[in-house]
Amino acid sequence: MNKKKTCITFFTVILMTIGYLFAQNGFNKQKPEDMLIEGEVVDLACFTSRELSGEGHKSCATRCLTRGTPAGLVDQDGNVFVIIGPSPGYAPYAAQTIRLNGSVEGGRISPKKMETKAGKTWEEVKLSGGAPNTK
């Protein structure tokens, strides 16, 4: 009888601990935040493995993005954001500075609006499914 009480008490403590941990995890989880991020479009394979970016890497990045390598946006502070959307749409913008406005969560951005620089002004680019409209 004593072993039975000990098992029940132990089981109850385990369940309470699990419940507490799950409640804390849900409480601390942040909701996506809408942000405007300005940065260079990179292909994440070359950027994360060898830090390749810029005009000297543009043709390779364009090829990689066209083939489906995930697209990223590197801001002026060196923060890297994974662009959630079809990467072939971003291929024409490789090594260019763009602005993306969208939901940001954990280093990922789901674009709602995109702008490119035309001279001294910014022009909006239509998005379809999270990527620039190529039509």
Side-chain angles (χ1 to χ4, degrees):
M1 182 86 170
N2 204 10
K3 273 189 167 184
K4 189 175 182 181
K5 282 185 179 181
T6 304
C7 284
I8 291 173
T9 304
F10 180 74
F11 185 73
T12 304
V13 169
I14 294 291
L15 284 177
M16 289 173 54
T17 303
I18 290 171
Y20 176 77
L21 292 174
F22 277 111
Q24 289 297 315
N25 189 29
F27 179 74
N28 292 333
K29 188 173 182 178
Q30 294 180 348
K31 294 182 181 178
E33 181 181 349
D34 277 359
M35 292 178 67
L36 175 67
I37 300 171
E38 182 178 325
E40 178 186 339
V41 177
V42 296
D43 72 288
L44 290 175
C46 292
F47 185 80
T48 57
S49 65
R50 296 174 292 186
E51 294 184 24
L52 297 175
S53 64
E55 281 298 316
H57 183 65
K58 183 175 181 161
S59 64
C60 178
T62 301
R63 273 192 315 276
C64 289
L65 292 171
T66 301
R67 293 176 184 160
T69 300
L73 194 64
V74 181
D75 70 9
Q76 291 177 337
D77 297 327
N79 299 313
V80 180
F81 297 88
V82 177
I83 301 172
I84 305 301
S87 56
Y90 289 95
Y93 303 98
Q96 291 182 26
T97 299
I98 65 168
R99 285 182 180 168
L100 288 180
N101 192 341
S103 299
V104 175
E105 181 179 19
R108 298 178 308 270
I109 182 166
S110 297
K112 296 177 184 171
K113 182 180 176 184
M114 177 178 160
E115 296 174 305
T116 60
K117 201 158 193 177
K120 293 184 179 185
T121 62
W122 291 91
E123 291 183 358
E124 186 172 352
V125 175
K126 300 266 188 231
L127 296 179
S128 176
N133 212 352
T134 56
K135 294 179 182 178

PDB file of all heavy atoms in Angstrom, residues 39-43 47 52-63 65 71-74 90-98:
ATOM      1  N   GLY A  39      17.554  45.579 -46.522  1.00  0.00           N
ATOM      2  CA  GLY A  39      18.798  44.839 -46.588  1.00  0.00           C
ATOM      3  C   GLY A  39      19.055  44.256 -47.962  1.00  0.00           C
ATOM      4  O   GLY A  39      18.278  44.450 -48.900  1.00  0.00           O
ATOM      5  N   GLU A  40      20.156  43.542 -48.057  1.00  0.00           N
ATOM      6  CA  GLU A  40      20.583  42.945 -49.318  1.00  0.00           C
ATOM      7  C   GLU A  40      19.993  41.542 -49.463  1.00  0.00           C
ATOM      8  O   GLU A  40      20.020  40.742 -48.529  1.00  0.00           O
ATOM      9  CB  GLU A  40      22.110  42.850 -49.354  1.00  0.00           C
ATOM     10  CG  GLU A  40      22.638  42.203 -50.610  1.00  0.00           C
ATOM     11  CD  GLU A  40      24.142  41.970 -50.589  1.00  0.00           C
ATOM     12  OE1 GLU A  40      24.847  42.634 -49.806  1.00  0.00           O
ATOM     13  OE2 GLU A  40      24.614  41.133 -51.374  1.00  0.00           O
ATOM     14  N   VAL A  41      19.512  41.240 -50.661  1.00  0.00           N
ATOM     15  CA  VAL A  41      19.007  39.904 -50.968  1.00  0.00           C
ATOM     16  C   VAL A  41      20.198  38.977 -51.216  1.00  0.00           C
ATOM     17  O   VAL A  41      21.076  39.290 -52.020  1.00  0.00           O
ATOM     18  CB  VAL A  41      18.091  39.925 -52.212  1.00  0.00           C
ATOM     19  CG1 VAL A  41      17.625  38.512 -52.570  1.00  0.00           C
ATOM     20  CG2 VAL A  41      16.890  40.837 -51.985  1.00  0.00           C
ATOM     21  N   VAL A  42      20.239  37.854 -50.486  1.00  0.00           N
ATOM     22  CA  VAL A  42      21.319  36.876 -50.633  1.00  0.00           C
ATOM     23  C   VAL A  42      20.718  35.485 -50.783  1.00  0.00           C
ATOM     24  O   VAL A  42      19.571  35.249 -50.418  1.00  0.00           O
ATOM     25  CB  VAL A  42      22.273  36.880 -49.409  1.00  0.00           C
ATOM     26  CG1 VAL A  42      22.989  38.203 -49.269  1.00  0.00           C
ATOM     27  CG2 VAL A  42      21.543  36.514 -48.126  1.00  0.00           C
ATOM     28  N   ASP A  43      21.525  34.577 -51.366  1.00  0.00           N
ATOM     29  CA  ASP A  43      21.131  33.169 -51.318  1.00  0.00           C
ATOM     30  C   ASP A  43      21.757  32.617 -50.046  1.00  0.00           C
ATOM     31  O   ASP A  43      22.942  32.829 -49.773  1.00  0.00           O
ATOM     32  CB  ASP A  43      21.581  32.408 -52.575  1.00  0.00           C
ATOM     33  CG  ASP A  43      23.065  32.175 -52.628  1.00  0.00           C
ATOM     34  OD1 ASP A  43      23.799  33.155 -52.862  1.00  0.00           O
ATOM     35  OD2 ASP A  43      23.488  31.023 -52.440  1.00  0.00           O
ATOM     36  N   PHE A  47      25.781  32.370 -48.502  1.00  0.00           N
ATOM     37  CA  PHE A  47      26.007  33.360 -47.455  1.00  0.00           C
ATOM     38  C   PHE A  47      26.324  32.694 -46.125  1.00  0.00           C
ATOM     39  O   PHE A  47      27.241  33.110 -45.423  1.00  0.00           O
ATOM     40  CB  PHE A  47      24.799  34.295 -47.300  1.00  0.00           C
ATOM     41  CG  PHE A  47      25.052  35.392 -46.317  1.00  0.00           C
ATOM     42  CD1 PHE A  47      25.785  36.509 -46.681  1.00  0.00           C
ATOM     43  CD2 PHE A  47      24.608  35.296 -45.013  1.00  0.00           C
ATOM     44  CE1 PHE A  47      26.060  37.515 -45.757  1.00  0.00           C
ATOM     45  CE2 PHE A  47      24.875  36.285 -44.086  1.00  0.00           C
ATOM     46  CZ  PHE A  47      25.602  37.405 -44.459  1.00  0.00           C
ATOM     47  N   LEU A  52      29.352  34.783 -48.677  1.00  0.00           N
ATOM     48  CA  LEU A  52      29.421  35.423 -49.989  1.00  0.00           C
ATOM     49  C   LEU A  52      28.191  36.293 -50.218  1.00  0.00           C
ATOM     50  O   LEU A  52      27.062  35.865 -50.002  1.00  0.00           O
ATOM     51  CB  LEU A  52      29.530  34.373 -51.095  1.00  0.00           C
ATOM     52  CG  LEU A  52      30.795  33.512 -51.051  1.00  0.00           C
ATOM     53  CD1 LEU A  52      30.735  32.426 -52.109  1.00  0.00           C
ATOM     54  CD2 LEU A  52      32.033  34.367 -51.241  1.00  0.00           C
ATOM     55  N   SER A  53      28.435  37.527 -50.657  1.00  0.00           N
ATOM     56  CA  SER A  53      27.352  38.462 -50.952  1.00  0.00           C
ATOM     57  C   SER A  53      27.907  39.589 -51.816  1.00  0.00           C
ATOM     58  O   SER A  53      29.081  39.586 -52.174  1.00  0.00           O
ATOM     59  CB  SER A  53      26.759  39.026 -49.658  1.00  0.00           C
ATOM     60  OG  SER A  53      27.722  39.779 -48.953  1.00  0.00           O
ATOM     61  N   GLY A  54      27.051  40.544 -52.165  1.00  0.00           N
ATOM     62  CA  GLY A  54      27.489  41.709 -52.919  1.00  0.00           C
ATOM     63  C   GLY A  54      27.526  41.474 -54.408  1.00  0.00           C
ATOM     64  O   GLY A  54      27.207  40.397 -54.909  1.00  0.00           O
ATOM     65  N   GLU A  55      27.941  42.518 -55.123  1.00  0.00           N
ATOM     66  CA  GLU A  55      27.976  42.494 -56.591  1.00  0.00           C
ATOM     67  C   GLU A  55      28.847  41.379 -57.152  1.00  0.00           C
ATOM     68  O   GLU A  55      28.538  40.790 -58.172  1.00  0.00           O
ATOM     69  CB  GLU A  55      28.459  43.847 -57.140  1.00  0.00           C
ATOM     70  CG  GLU A  55      27.392  44.920 -57.158  1.00  0.00           C
ATOM     71  CD  GLU A  55      26.216  44.580 -58.060  1.00  0.00           C
ATOM     72  OE1 GLU A  55      26.427  44.100 -59.198  1.00  0.00           O
ATOM     73  OE2 GLU A  55      25.075  44.804 -57.632  1.00  0.00           O
ATOM     74  N   GLY A  56      29.948  41.067 -56.493  1.00  0.00           N
ATOM     75  CA  GLY A  56      30.854  40.025 -56.965  1.00  0.00           C
ATOM     76  C   GLY A  56      30.239  38.630 -56.915  1.00  0.00           C
ATOM     77  O   GLY A  56      30.721  37.703 -57.553  1.00  0.00           O
ATOM     78  N   HIS A  57      29.178  38.480 -56.169  1.00  0.00           N
ATOM     79  CA  HIS A  57      28.525  37.181 -56.023  1.00  0.00           C
ATOM     80  C   HIS A  57      27.138  37.163 -56.683  1.00  0.00           C
ATOM     81  O   HIS A  57      26.416  36.167 -56.604  1.00  0.00           O
ATOM     82  CB  HIS A  57      28.399  36.829 -54.531  1.00  0.00           C
ATOM     83  CG  HIS A  57      27.815  35.489 -54.278  1.00  0.00           C
ATOM     84  ND1 HIS A  57      28.433  34.320 -54.644  1.00  0.00           N
ATOM     85  CD2 HIS A  57      26.652  35.131 -53.723  1.00  0.00           C
ATOM     86  CE1 HIS A  57      27.677  33.302 -54.313  1.00  0.00           C
ATOM     87  NE2 HIS A  57      26.586  33.756 -53.753  1.00  0.00           N
ATOM     88  N   LYS A  58      26.787  38.243 -57.353  1.00  0.00           N
ATOM     89  CA  LYS A  58      25.432  38.395 -57.893  1.00  0.00           C
ATOM     90  C   LYS A  58      25.034  37.276 -58.861  1.00  0.00           C
ATOM     91  O   LYS A  58      23.944  36.716 -58.745  1.00  0.00           O
ATOM     92  CB  LYS A  58      25.294  39.750 -58.591  1.00  0.00           C
ATOM     93  CG  LYS A  58      23.906  40.000 -59.116  1.00  0.00           C
ATOM     94  CD  LYS A  58      23.768  41.384 -59.701  1.00  0.00           C
ATOM     95  CE  LYS A  58      22.349  41.589 -60.180  1.00  0.00           C
ATOM     96  NZ  LYS A  58      22.012  42.969 -60.339  1.00  0.00           N
ATOM     97  N   SER A  59      25.890  36.929 -59.823  1.00  0.00           N
ATOM     98  CA  SER A  59      25.497  35.920 -60.819  1.00  0.00           C
ATOM     99  C   SER A  59      25.292  34.553 -60.172  1.00  0.00           C
ATOM    100  O   SER A  59      24.357  33.829 -60.505  1.00  0.00           O
ATOM    101  CB  SER A  59      26.517  35.837 -61.957  1.00  0.00           C
ATOM    102  OG  SER A  59      27.762  35.406 -61.469  1.00  0.00           O
ATOM    103  N   CYS A  60      26.137  34.194 -59.218  1.00  0.00           N
ATOM    104  CA  CYS A  60      25.979  32.919 -58.512  1.00  0.00           C
ATOM    105  C   CYS A  60      24.698  32.934 -57.683  1.00  0.00           C
ATOM    106  O   CYS A  60      23.936  31.971 -57.682  1.00  0.00           O
ATOM    107  CB  CYS A  60      27.193  32.657 -57.621  1.00  0.00           C
ATOM    108  SG  CYS A  60      27.071  31.137 -56.655  1.00  0.00           S
ATOM    109  N   ALA A  61      24.466  34.020 -56.970  1.00  0.00           N
ATOM    110  CA  ALA A  61      23.256  34.129 -56.146  1.00  0.00           C
ATOM    111  C   ALA A  61      22.004  34.051 -57.002  1.00  0.00           C
ATOM    112  O   ALA A  61      21.032  33.396 -56.624  1.00  0.00           O
ATOM    113  CB  ALA A  61      23.285  35.437 -55.353  1.00  0.00           C
ATOM    114  N   THR A  62      22.030  34.691 -58.168  1.00  0.00           N
ATOM    115  CA  THR A  62      20.886  34.647 -59.077  1.00  0.00           C
ATOM    116  C   THR A  62      20.608  33.207 -59.507  1.00  0.00           C
ATOM    117  O   THR A  62      19.462  32.757 -59.498  1.00  0.00           O
ATOM    118  CB  THR A  62      21.135  35.546 -60.314  1.00  0.00           C
ATOM    119  OG1 THR A  62      21.362  36.882 -59.862  1.00  0.00           O
ATOM    120  CG2 THR A  62      19.961  35.518 -61.258  1.00  0.00           C
ATOM    121  N   ARG A  63      21.663  32.481 -59.878  1.00  0.00           N
ATOM    122  CA  ARG A  63      21.505  31.066 -60.269  1.00  0.00           C
ATOM    123  C   ARG A  63      20.954  30.234 -59.121  1.00  0.00           C
ATOM    124  O   ARG A  63      20.031  29.431 -59.295  1.00  0.00           O
ATOM    125  CB  ARG A  63      22.842  30.478 -60.719  1.00  0.00           C
ATOM    126  CG  ARG A  63      23.163  30.681 -62.162  1.00  0.00           C
ATOM    127  CD  ARG A  63      24.355  29.827 -62.614  1.00  0.00           C
ATOM    128  NE  ARG A  63      25.496  29.823 -61.705  1.00  0.00           N
ATOM    129  CZ  ARG A  63      26.448  30.752 -61.683  1.00  0.00           C
ATOM    130  NH1 ARG A  63      26.411  31.760 -62.526  1.00  0.00           N
ATOM    131  NH2 ARG A  63      27.455  30.671 -60.835  1.00  0.00           N
ATOM    132  N   LEU A  65      19.260  31.184 -56.415  1.00  0.00           N
ATOM    133  CA  LEU A  65      17.872  31.534 -56.087  1.00  0.00           C
ATOM    134  C   LEU A  65      16.910  30.993 -57.139  1.00  0.00           C
ATOM    135  O   LEU A  65      15.832  30.510 -56.803  1.00  0.00           O
ATOM    136  CB  LEU A  65      17.729  33.048 -55.938  1.00  0.00           C
ATOM    137  CG  LEU A  65      18.441  33.658 -54.736  1.00  0.00           C
ATOM    138  CD1 LEU A  65      18.414  35.183 -54.804  1.00  0.00           C
ATOM    139  CD2 LEU A  65      17.835  33.168 -53.435  1.00  0.00           C
ATOM    140  N   ALA A  71      16.044  32.171 -50.036  1.00  0.00           N
ATOM    141  CA  ALA A  71      16.456  33.572 -50.097  1.00  0.00           C
ATOM    142  C   ALA A  71      16.533  34.151 -48.694  1.00  0.00           C
ATOM    143  O   ALA A  71      15.770  33.769 -47.807  1.00  0.00           O
ATOM    144  CB  ALA A  71      15.473  34.375 -50.938  1.00  0.00           C
ATOM    145  N   GLY A  72      17.466  35.087 -48.518  1.00  0.00           N
ATOM    146  CA  GLY A  72      17.609  35.765 -47.241  1.00  0.00           C
ATOM    147  C   GLY A  72      17.780  37.257 -47.437  1.00  0.00           C
ATOM    148  O   GLY A  72      18.024  37.729 -48.548  1.00  0.00           O
ATOM    149  N   LEU A  73      17.628  37.975 -46.353  1.00  0.00           N
ATOM    150  CA  LEU A  73      17.797  39.420 -46.353  1.00  0.00           C
ATOM    151  C   LEU A  73      18.766  39.750 -45.228  1.00  0.00           C
ATOM    152  O   LEU A  73      18.539  39.368 -44.075  1.00  0.00           O
ATOM    153  CB  LEU A  73      16.443  40.104 -46.123  1.00  0.00           C
ATOM    154  CG  LEU A  73      16.345  41.576 -46.404  1.00  0.00           C
ATOM    155  CD1 LEU A  73      16.584  41.861 -47.888  1.00  0.00           C
ATOM    156  CD2 LEU A  73      14.982  42.110 -46.020  1.00  0.00           C
ATOM    157  N   VAL A  74      19.876  40.424 -45.555  1.00  0.00           N
ATOM    158  CA  VAL A  74      20.885  40.792 -44.562  1.00  0.00           C
ATOM    159  C   VAL A  74      20.804  42.298 -44.363  1.00  0.00           C
ATOM    160  O   VAL A  74      21.021  43.066 -45.298  1.00  0.00           O
ATOM    161  CB  VAL A  74      22.306  40.393 -45.025  1.00  0.00           C
ATOM    162  CG1 VAL A  74      23.329  40.769 -43.975  1.00  0.00           C
ATOM    163  CG2 VAL A  74      22.371  38.904 -45.332  1.00  0.00           C
ATOM    164  N   TYR A  90      12.885  36.091 -56.086  1.00  0.00           N
ATOM    165  CA  TYR A  90      13.863  37.062 -55.583  1.00  0.00           C
ATOM    166  C   TYR A  90      15.158  37.060 -56.390  1.00  0.00           C
ATOM    167  O   TYR A  90      16.022  37.901 -56.174  1.00  0.00           O
ATOM    168  CB  TYR A  90      14.153  36.794 -54.097  1.00  0.00           C
ATOM    169  CG  TYR A  90      12.983  37.157 -53.229  1.00  0.00           C
ATOM    170  CD1 TYR A  90      12.051  36.201 -52.852  1.00  0.00           C
ATOM    171  CD2 TYR A  90      12.780  38.464 -52.817  1.00  0.00           C
ATOM    172  CE1 TYR A  90      10.953  36.530 -52.081  1.00  0.00           C
ATOM    173  CE2 TYR A  90      11.691  38.810 -52.042  1.00  0.00           C
ATOM    174  CZ  TYR A  90      10.776  37.841 -51.680  1.00  0.00           C
ATOM    175  OH  TYR A  90       9.688  38.182 -50.929  1.00  0.00           O
ATOM    176  N   ALA A  91      15.303  36.117 -57.325  1.00  0.00           N
ATOM    177  CA  ALA A  91      16.539  36.009 -58.125  1.00  0.00           C
ATOM    178  C   ALA A  91      16.904  37.310 -58.848  1.00  0.00           C
ATOM    179  O   ALA A  91      18.068  37.707 -58.822  1.00  0.00           O
ATOM    180  CB  ALA A  91      16.431  34.846 -59.112  1.00  0.00           C
ATOM    181  N   PRO A  92      15.955  38.021 -59.467  1.00  0.00           N
ATOM    182  CA  PRO A  92      16.332  39.269 -60.146  1.00  0.00           C
ATOM    183  C   PRO A  92      16.833  40.364 -59.203  1.00  0.00           C
ATOM    184  O   PRO A  92      17.422  41.339 -59.635  1.00  0.00           O
ATOM    185  CB  PRO A  92      15.044  39.722 -60.834  1.00  0.00           C
ATOM    186  CG  PRO A  92      14.169  38.522 -60.886  1.00  0.00           C
ATOM    187  CD  PRO A  92      14.558  37.675 -59.721  1.00  0.00           C
ATOM    188  N   TYR A  93      16.613  40.190 -57.894  1.00  0.00           N
ATOM    189  CA  TYR A  93      16.992  41.206 -56.908  1.00  0.00           C
ATOM    190  C   TYR A  93      18.236  40.801 -56.119  1.00  0.00           C
ATOM    191  O   TYR A  93      18.600  41.462 -55.142  1.00  0.00           O
ATOM    192  CB  TYR A  93      15.815  41.467 -55.960  1.00  0.00           C
ATOM    193  CG  TYR A  93      14.580  41.878 -56.712  1.00  0.00           C
ATOM    194  CD1 TYR A  93      13.589  40.945 -57.022  1.00  0.00           C
ATOM    195  CD2 TYR A  93      14.424  43.178 -57.164  1.00  0.00           C
ATOM    196  CE1 TYR A  93      12.465  41.308 -57.738  1.00  0.00           C
ATOM    197  CE2 TYR A  93      13.297  43.549 -57.888  1.00  0.00           C
ATOM    198  CZ  TYR A  93      12.329  42.611 -58.168  1.00  0.00           C
ATOM    199  OH  TYR A  93      11.215  42.975 -58.885  1.00  0.00           O
ATOM    200  N   ALA A  94      18.902  39.723 -56.522  1.00  0.00           N
ATOM    201  CA  ALA A  94      20.117  39.265 -55.830  1.00  0.00           C
ATOM    202  C   ALA A  94      21.145  40.390 -55.777  1.00  0.00           C
ATOM    203  O   ALA A  94      21.340  41.114 -56.747  1.00  0.00           O
ATOM    204  CB  ALA A  94      20.698  38.048 -56.543  1.00  0.00           C
ATOM    205  N   ALA A  95      21.759  40.560 -54.619  1.00  0.00           N
ATOM    206  CA  ALA A  95      22.795  41.568 -54.362  1.00  0.00           C
ATOM    207  C   ALA A  95      22.257  42.996 -54.387  1.00  0.00           C
ATOM    208  O   ALA A  95      23.038  43.939 -54.342  1.00  0.00           O
ATOM    209  CB  ALA A  95      23.971  41.416 -55.330  1.00  0.00           C
ATOM    210  N   GLN A  96      20.947  43.165 -54.436  1.00  0.00           N
ATOM    211  CA  GLN A  96      20.357  44.500 -54.393  1.00  0.00           C
ATOM    212  C   GLN A  96      19.780  44.762 -53.005  1.00  0.00           C
ATOM    213  O   GLN A  96      19.427  43.828 -52.286  1.00  0.00           O
ATOM    214  CB  GLN A  96      19.220  44.628 -55.413  1.00  0.00           C
ATOM    215  CG  GLN A  96      19.662  44.605 -56.842  1.00  0.00           C
ATOM    216  CD  GLN A  96      18.479  44.795 -57.790  1.00  0.00           C
ATOM    217  OE1 GLN A  96      17.460  45.385 -57.438  1.00  0.00           O
ATOM    218  NE2 GLN A  96      18.615  44.277 -58.992  1.00  0.00           N
ATOM    219  N   THR A  97      19.680  46.039 -52.671  1.00  0.00           N
ATOM    220  CA  THR A  97      19.053  46.429 -51.420  1.00  0.00           C
ATOM    221  C   THR A  97      17.564  46.625 -51.676  1.00  0.00           C
ATOM    222  O   THR A  97      17.163  47.338 -52.596  1.00  0.00           O
ATOM    223  CB  THR A  97      19.672  47.729 -50.873  1.00  0.00           C
ATOM    224  OG1 THR A  97      21.064  47.497 -50.641  1.00  0.00           O
ATOM    225  CG2 THR A  97      19.013  48.150 -49.575  1.00  0.00           C
ATOM    226  N   ILE A  98      16.764  45.939 -50.848  1.00  0.00           N
ATOM    227  CA  ILE A  98      15.313  46.058 -50.941  1.00  0.00           C
ATOM    228  C   ILE A  98      14.755  46.324 -49.541  1.00  0.00           C
ATOM    229  O   ILE A  98      15.483  46.228 -48.545  1.00  0.00           O
ATOM    230  CB  ILE A  98      14.656  44.785 -51.528  1.00  0.00           C
ATOM    231  CG1 ILE A  98      14.862  43.580 -50.593  1.00  0.00           C
ATOM    232  CG2 ILE A  98      15.176  44.491 -52.925  1.00  0.00           C
ATOM    233  CD1 ILE A  98      14.013  42.382 -50.945  1.00  0.00           C
TER     234      ILE A  98
END
